Amino acid sequence: MDWVMQNAWMLWLVLALVLGGIEMISLSLVFAMLSGGALAAFVTAVLGGPAWLQGLVFAVVSLGMIGFVRPVAMRHMQQRSIEDVRTNVDRLVGARATVMEAVDSSRGLVKIGGDVWTARAERGEFLPGDVVQVVAIDGATAVVAPGNETSPYRS
């Protein structure tokens, strides 16, 4: 028992690492808060605090982090909009494109960013040099509409 009391710092450090590892699997932020409590108890042990104080520090810090830090972190993580998570071709919807070859309801070419895409017009026809808005991606074809500053799509 003496060995445990003299090396309690090691046990707190191992507990913090194990809880951190569990957090990486669960992604719930609960185990991260408990790991923070274990790190606080580790510091208390390194500074020579008695076992009861180490346990108390672990409990208070863990509960405090679960009660106050975790809700703020969860709110922050949930505030991401759909724009933040769009990937691949979904990110092109709403982008501006330059007509490279006349676009009508059945065919044409546009340049989106640095890439040339086949395109078709949602409505109307567009001539080379016109700036249009990508409203959808249909397979490998960009569906475009007139581009204007008041468009609800992002540029």
Side-chain angles (χ1 to χ4, degrees):
M1 193 66 173
D2 279 343
W3 184 89
V4 172
M5 295 308 290
Q6 291 174 349
N7 296 297
W9 64 270
M10 207 178 320
L11 297 174
W12 288 116
L13 186 58
V14 168
L15 181 62
L17 292 172
V18 168
L19 290 169
I22 294 170
E23 178 60 39
M24 284 191 266
I25 295 168
S26 73
L27 301 176
S28 65
L29 291 183
V30 171
F31 292 101
M33 303 300 119
L34 293 174
S35 180
L39 286 175
F42 162 76
V43 170
T44 304
V46 167
L47 295 175
W52 66 267
L53 182 59
Q54 295 171 31
L56 182 65
V57 166
F58 171 73
V60 169
V61 170
S62 295
L63 290 174
M65 290 181 75
I66 289 171
F68 298 106
V69 176
R70 184 177 180 271
V72 172
M74 293 297 285
R75 234 184 345 265
H76 178 70
M77 287 175 24
Q78 292 172 349
Q79 285 180 346
R80 287 190 289 178
S81 69
I82 191 69
E83 295 296 322
D84 293 337
V85 295
R86 292 203 297 175
T87 59
N88 301 330
V89 296
D90 291 336
R91 67 180 166 69
L92 298 177
V93 174
R96 296 198 188 287
T98 304
V99 176
M100 304 299 290
E101 186 178 292
V103 176
D104 59 23
S105 62
S106 61
R107 66 176 164 235
L109 291 176
V110 296
K111 189 172 201 173
I112 308 170
D115 299 321
V116 177
W117 282 70
T118 57
R120 65 180 165 81
E122 182 181 54
R123 60 184 181 273
E125 294 181 3
F126 306 103
L127 300 175
D130 288 349
V131 176
V132 293
Q133 194 89 36
V134 178
V135 294
I137 300 293
D138 184 15
T141 302
V143 180
V144 297
N148 59 39
E149 297 304 315
T150 59
S151 173
Y153 305 102
R154 70 174 173 80
S155 53

